[in-house]
Amino acid sequence: MFVRDVLEPYLAPEQDLLDVGCGPGYLARAVAGRVWSVEAVDVSRGVLACARVLNHAVNIDYRTPREFFGSGRRVDIAVSLTLATQLDDEDLSALLASVWTSLRPGGCLVLRASVSGPVGGRPQPPTTQPPTTQAESAPPPPSGPAARPRGRYLPEHHPREAGHLVELVERAGFGDVRLQNLDGRPAAGQAPADAAGSWLLVAIRRYEQAVFPRVPELVRQAAAQA
């Protein structure tokens, strides 16, 4: 349903697609029939082994980041539904630089990201409700299963302000950045400053590599790691 309702406008039968952070391969399998080939990348060899069994298709190639980015393979569109929310700024910038090198000029980047604060940058309307004390606003303490501590291996969550996220993407060499609301969040400028919603970021790989000075150094670091 996500592929049909959200990704479909960005897919074409002649495309080579890169799925970054593919996990068990559900997205890779869902798009395999809509594009020419799928390069599905994940850091876990165990997860990749599961993906090859659970979501096999003749045009899907499951590989680690080292195997893919070190191969020099080029694609037309790169999609990641998880990593933009799990990586900090440094790791996300390095990933974007690696993806930039793998995209053909004019290729498309599609990220699902967590965006906090007003997206449109307009001032917040004043509230007419009286302020509440900390005791009144604090939720009741959890009980039962909710009171158990969170697992130490759960992925980190990194919501970002829209302007900061766009800046990271542009520094990596992408342009024409657009944000699309995915979860029914209020219109830009109307959401609470501390709210974080799910958004789709779409950008185009620029033709010029030297537009942003940081890109060559990040590319060299990514290549050295590969």
Side-chain angles (χ1 to χ4, degrees):
M1 292 176 62
F2 182 86
V3 172
R4 182 196 65 199
D5 297 339
V6 179
L7 290 185
E8 187 72 39
Y10 309 105
L11 304 179
E14 68 276 6
Q15 287 177 333
D16 297 310
L17 182 143
L18 171 62
D19 178 9
V20 188
C22 65
Y26 295 112
L27 175 67
R29 185 66 183 88
V31 300
R34 291 172 164 84
V35 297
W36 181 256
S37 70
V38 179
E39 296 285 344
V41 173
D42 200 280
V43 296
S44 170
R45 293 186 180 275
V47 166
L48 292 175
C50 293
R52 293 186 184 102
V53 174
L54 296 174
N55 290 293
H56 171 74
V58 294
N59 63 338
I60 302 178
D61 189 8
Y62 291 103
R63 293 200 263 183
T64 65
R66 182 183 296 256
E67 292 168 344
F68 173 75
F69 291 118
S71 69
R73 182 85 160 85
R74 306 296 289 275
V75 296
D76 302 292
I77 179 172
V79 180
S80 179
L81 301 186
T82 58
L83 294 185
T85 63
Q86 296 175 4
L87 300 179
D88 60 22
D89 285 0
E90 182 178 357
D91 289 338
L92 179 59
S93 296
L95 173 66
L96 290 172
S98 296
V99 170
W100 189 94
T101 64
S102 68
L103 275 173
R104 297 183 176 105
C108 185
L109 170 71
V110 180
L111 298 176
R112 187 178 66 84
S114 181
V115 175
S116 61
V119 174
R122 293 180 295 192
Q124 300 297 309
T127 177
T128 57
Q129 298 179 352
T132 58
T133 65
Q134 184 174 0
E136 292 173 333
S137 60
S143 59
R148 299 170 187 165
R150 301 185 61 185
R152 61 179 295 186
Y153 298 110
L154 292 178
E156 295 185 44
H157 183 65
H158 293 277
R160 294 176 172 88
E161 293 186 354
H164 180 57
L165 177 62
V166 171
E167 181 183 6
L168 292 177
V169 172
E170 290 181 337
R171 283 180 179 176
F174 295 90
D176 301 323
V177 183
R178 291 171 289 163
L179 283 169
Q180 174 188 345
N181 188 353
L182 293 180
D183 60 2
R185 181 176 167 179
Q190 298 178 5
D194 59 350
S198 182
W199 292 75
L200 196 74
L201 181 145
V202 181
I204 303 299
R205 180 208 194 267
R206 295 181 183 272
Y207 286 78
E208 305 87 356
Q209 184 173 356
V211 173
F212 296 95
R214 289 186 57 196
V215 170
E217 178 60 28
L218 290 173
V219 171
R220 282 193 294 270
Q221 293 175 4
Q225 294 173 359

